[in-house]
Amino acid sequence: MNRSFDDLVTEAAAAPVDGWDFSWLAGRATEQRPSWGYQRLLGERLAAAGAALDVQTGGGEVLAGAGAANFPRTLVATEGWAPNAARATRLLHPLGAVLVASPEDAPLPFADGAFDLVTSRHPARVDFPEIARVLAPGGTYFAQHVGGRTNVELSAFFLGPFPVPTDREHEVEAARARAAGLEVVECRNERLRLEFSDVGAVVWFLRRVIWTVPDFSVDRYRERLRELHELIGREGGFTSSMSRTLFEARKPAAS
């Protein structure tokens, strides 16, 4: 992409980042996908459910993409960020799903045992005790998590060496689920590639995926961004690695 640093950064800094739609990156970044096809599997799980909850639904794009024909009789989604909640409401309500605005760090605003299926794609926070509480006996939690060491290369480029948290490692999450009384059915992890072809794509990504560089702003990191722009010009791109976990757990049936 033969565009100036200032042009690329200014464009990316002004682009909208609400929802969970990454189409702005088309042609500017490529993401390797997990082998299992979460959205298709989600549709299958929803079709077999009677009452389902999608936690931290973002803009509702993934849930809607699972197919309204697969939606159960009762389908509720939660979202804590106001712009996403508004977007998800507009998308999901016409399809028959109810959106509840609920902060990520608050207890789920539902009765014990209210759902036979709880789902989530890329939850920022996984509260296994709350998930176990709202699941009916015999109910299932089915999700795709962002795994440990995701984008450590991109984070380290801006932050320098830092201690990598272990709380999102799939073995750690499986242990937390078991501690909450759930039976782990599947916990499969894959490491994948994410390649950026221009610095604007990185700016947009860091504005959207805010935990990668928590204090990111263009002004704060302008000189480091300029160095990245020059690196991409020399090497043709910047590669980072991601981690995704397919997670399924079941609440034991009542005895």
Side-chain angles (χ1 to χ4, degrees), residues 184-251:
V184 176
V185 177
E186 184 163 24
C187 182
R188 179 162 35 130
N189 180 265
E190 291 183 0
R191 294 202 61 79
L192 309 159
R193 290 168 60 89
L194 176 61
E195 299 182 2
F196 298 95
S197 60
D198 74 80
V199 71
V202 174
V203 168
W204 189 93
F205 183 88
L206 292 178
R207 290 179 60 227
R208 181 64 194 89
V209 188
I210 57 176
W211 47 88
T212 308
V213 180
D215 64 343
F216 178 78
S217 72
V218 168
D219 289 341
R220 180 175 290 113
Y221 286 101
R222 181 171 291 275
E223 290 310 309
R224 197 62 176 140
L225 287 166
R226 193 179 300 276
E227 293 172 16
L228 181 59
H229 175 66
E230 294 169 356
L231 182 152
I232 291 174
R234 292 192 307 271
E235 300 185 4
F238 181 88
T239 299
S240 193
S241 62
M242 303 181 303
S243 175
R244 298 288 182 265
T245 300
L246 184 67
F247 201 98
E248 184 171 6
R250 185 173 298 121
K251 184 172 182 175

